[in-house]
């Protein structure tokens, strides 16, 4: 048996009054996902512990069966692994967004989804102006970058920028959790304020402003941590060879620590215009010499953060027509049976534009297995499913059993 996990980031939502109480999952055209639900078994999965923030890093690690309370060390360290930055024991790594401020408020967490070329130029500029032997900026993808501080303390309270759209940035700045971290908090806040002065009139931002685009006029460091100690999927579940396909550094970094091969697809953007077909083909190609492929698609999460219901619904339909359809058709031709699972990592409701801890709907289709009563896939129909409510490593064990 081989396995595919299709992860539609942030797909789950809440009933929307303006859409007759329906969610994007209920409104999307998704005949192939619904068919898997009808032929498979379903349930709900709690991916985020009550005492942890509902970030994609925590939720995706939980989907893969990790005890996040014991292995999670922040988002920055995962993205460091993705871009090949090797951390020393005393290195503090933080995710570093380029964000857009307007009238002193956080307008968005992505600087209007700034391009790679533009963001690389800005991060290189900041590293030359602010970097030194103790401080280093590394470019990532679009608005998502990395900040490493030698001898930094992780006991700092950093607010994820996607959780506070419209809020005054000063009220969300870094706060020390104890006296030992005061110096680190002061340094991070200095870097935030200094970046604003440096970026305000940068040529990249002048061009973006002239074009009517949101400018990248501040950095925003968050999710601090040290190099984690994570067992591989082979050590956890005996999976000999696995692969991850994603446009997002964070997910690739999880793959590195999980011992997975990271497969990059040309044209994968992390947005609605990503190369769906390329990712689907790469999954099938990888399945020929891997036991498990984790296919992550970010588009629906970004649409949820924008509060764009129509776009989020469309990204789910794209996932069905341009990825799941191909996976179903190609795996049916294979001699070895293939189990396909579909789920989000966490909800990203369009009404609130932020992640929540609510349990997510999942389906697992194993060829030849007796289906349950579920007839289609959404947040509510799966409650009829045979799996009930799972947590911890129960999803991976159900998948692999």
């Amino acid at each position: 048996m081989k396995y595919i996990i299709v992860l539609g980031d942030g797909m789950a939502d809440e009933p929307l009054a303006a859409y007759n109480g329906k969610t994007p999952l209920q409104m999307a055209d998704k005949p192939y996902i619904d068919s898997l639900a009808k032929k498979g078994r379903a349930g709900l999965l709690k991916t985020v512990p009550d005492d942890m923030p509902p970030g994609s890093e925590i939720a995706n690690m939980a989907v893969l069966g990790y005890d996040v309370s014991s292995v999670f060390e922040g988002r920055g360290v995962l993205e460091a692994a993705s871009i090949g930055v090797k951390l020393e024991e005393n290195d503090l790594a933080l995710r570093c967004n380029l964000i857009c401020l307007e009238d002193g408020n956080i307008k968005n967490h992505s600087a209007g989804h700034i391009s790679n070329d533009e963001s690389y130029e800005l991060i290189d500029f900041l590293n030359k102006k602010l970097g030194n032997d103790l401080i280093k900026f590394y470019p990532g993808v679009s608005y998502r970058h990395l900040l490493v501080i030698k001898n930094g303390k992780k006991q700092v309270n950093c607010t994820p920028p996607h959780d506070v759209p419209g809020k005054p940035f000063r009220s969300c700045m870094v706060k020390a959790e104890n006296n030992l971290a005061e110096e680190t908090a002061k340094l991070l806040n200095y870097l935030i304020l200094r970046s604003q002065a440096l970026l305000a009139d940068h040529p990249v931002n002048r061009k973006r402003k002239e074009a009517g685009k949101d400018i990248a006029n501040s950095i925003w460091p968050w999710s601090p941590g040290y190099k984690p100690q994570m067992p591989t999927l082979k050590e956890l579940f005996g999976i000999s060879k696995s692969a991850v396909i994603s446009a997002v550094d964070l997910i690739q970094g999880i793959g590195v620590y999980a011992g997975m091969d990271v497969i990059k697809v040309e044209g994968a953007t992390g947005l609605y215009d990503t190369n769906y077909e390329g990712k689907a083909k790469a999954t099938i190609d990888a399945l020929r010499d891997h036991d498990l492929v984790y296919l992550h698609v970010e588009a629906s999460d970004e649409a949820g953060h924008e509060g764009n219901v129509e776009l989020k619904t469309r990204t789910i339909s794209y996932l069905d027509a341009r990825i799941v359809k191909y996976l179903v058709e190609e795996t049916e031709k294979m001699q070895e049976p293939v189990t396909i699972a579909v789920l989000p990592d966490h909800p990203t409701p369009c009404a609130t534009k932020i992640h929540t801890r609510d349990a997510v709907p999942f389906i697992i289709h194993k060829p030849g297995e007796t289906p349950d009563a579920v007839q289609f896939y959404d947040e509510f129909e799966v409650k009829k499913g045979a799996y009930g409510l799972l947590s911890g490593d129960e999803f991976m064990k159900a998948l692999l059993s």
Side-chain angles (χ1 to χ4, degrees):
M1 182 75 77
K2 294 199 173 189
Y3 306 89
I4 300 173
I5 300 174
V6 181
L7 196 295
D9 202 298
M11 275 198 305
D13 211 296
E14 298 171 353
L16 294 154
Y19 294 85
N20 297 317
K22 292 186 175 182
T23 68
L25 269 177
Q26 292 177 309
M27 293 186 287
D29 181 24
K30 48 181 176 52
Y32 287 89
I33 297 176
D34 286 341
S35 175
L36 289 176
K38 189 172 184 178
K39 294 186 295 185
R41 296 182 179 183
L44 289 165
L45 174 64
K46 184 171 177 58
T47 58
V48 182
D50 291 336
D51 61 346
M52 298 188 78
S56 291
E57 64 281 16
I58 290 171
N60 278 274
M61 290 172 70
V63 170
L64 285 169
Y66 284 96
D67 177 4
V68 290
S69 297
S70 64
V71 301
F72 177 63
E73 272 289 346
R75 192 162 181 148
V77 297
L78 300 172
E79 298 186 351
S82 169
I83 60 179
V85 176
K86 294 185 178 180
L87 300 175
E88 304 296 333
E89 278 190 22
N90 62 343
D91 286 346
L92 179 70
L94 302 97
R95 163 70 169 273
C96 185
N97 281 39
L98 286 171
I99 68 171
C100 179
L101 301 179
E102 188 173 75
D103 298 327
N105 298 324
I106 297 174
K107 184 178 182 182
N108 60 56
H109 67 288
S110 63
H113 294 294
I114 189 169
S115 72
N116 287 348
D117 289 344
E118 291 171 313
S119 65
Y120 280 22
E121 185 174 341
L122 294 179
I123 292 298
D124 181 62
F125 170 71
L126 290 175
N127 195 53
K128 289 175 180 176
K129 293 292 186 180
L130 299 175
N132 53 42
D133 291 342
L134 300 179
I135 300 167
K136 180 76 173 178
F137 292 88
Y138 295 91
V141 176
S142 183
Y143 61 89
R144 304 181 289 265
H145 306 284
L146 177 70
L147 171 61
V148 177
I149 298 175
K150 288 195 175 298
N151 303 315
K153 304 299 182 184
K154 75 172 186 177
Q155 295 81 13
V156 286
N157 189 331
C158 303
T159 303
H162 53 262
D163 282 355
V164 284
K167 297 289 181 66
F169 83 88
R170 287 188 178 277
S171 67
C172 304
M173 291 179 74
V174 181
K175 299 174 180 63
E177 295 177 350
N178 58 36
N179 291 336
L180 291 175
E182 284 287 353
E183 185 176 342
T184 300
K186 288 179 181 177
L187 173 59
L188 292 171
N189 286 328
Y190 164 79
L191 292 174
I192 291 172
L193 295 174
R194 186 70 184 129
S195 76
Q196 293 172 15
L198 291 168
L199 295 173
D201 198 40
H202 190 279
V204 165
N205 279 327
R206 287 205 302 269
K207 290 179 183 177
R208 288 184 66 82
K209 188 173 183 179
E210 289 169 2
K213 299 177 180 179
D214 288 337
I215 60 175
N217 54 357
S218 182
I219 62 164
W220 199 264
W222 59 286
S223 198
Y226 306 125
K227 183 178 180 179
Q229 301 298 318
M230 281 174 59
T232 65
L233 290 183
K234 184 176 182 179
E235 292 167 333
L236 280 178
F237 301 110
I239 302 169
S240 296
K241 196 172 183 185
S242 58
V244 60
I245 298 171
S246 175
V248 179
D249 284 351
L250 152 69
I251 307 301
Q252 295 172 10
I254 292 173
V256 171
Y257 283 114
M260 308 171 84
D261 292 329
V262 177
I263 298 173
K264 298 186 179 182
V265 176
E266 186 176 354
T269 65
L271 299 173
Y272 73 92
D273 62 353
T274 196
N275 184 1
Y276 292 90
E277 290 80 6
K279 295 178 92 170
K281 185 178 185 304
T283 300
I284 294 300
D285 290 345
L287 204 63
R288 304 190 193 284
D289 59 357
H290 291 79
D291 300 304
L292 180 147
V293 180
Y294 192 77
L295 172 58
H296 173 271
V297 181
E298 176 76 2
S300 49
D301 183 62
E302 292 293 345
H305 284 307
E306 294 175 12
N308 191 330
V309 178
E310 288 81 6
L311 179 59
K312 185 172 183 179
T313 303
R314 190 159 70 249
T315 63
I316 297 169
S317 296
Y318 285 167
L319 182 72
D320 185 87
R322 300 168 66 181
I323 287 183
V324 177
K325 177 179 184 290
Y326 182 82
L327 299 182
V328 169
E329 292 175 346
E330 292 300 310
T331 54
E332 286 177 349
K333 301 174 186 176
M334 294 183 175
Q335 292 185 338
E336 186 171 1
V338 180
T339 290
I340 301 177
V342 180
L343 75 166
D345 50 349
H346 52 69
T348 308
C350 289
T352 61
K353 304 181 184 180
I354 62 174
H355 301 169
T356 70
R357 292 186 183 83
D358 294 342
V360 297
F362 71 87
I363 50 177
I364 299 174
H365 173 244
K366 298 181 181 181
E369 187 174 61
T370 303
D372 57 22
V374 171
Q375 297 298 299
F376 45 86
Y377 176 65
D378 65 38
E379 298 90 343
F380 309 101
E381 177 72 5
V382 299
K383 293 178 181 179
K384 302 175 185 176
Y387 288 114
L389 176 63
L390 303 185
S391 62
D393 62 0
E394 292 175 335
F395 168 78
M396 281 294 286
K397 287 181 176 178
L399 179 80
L400 301 171
S401 64

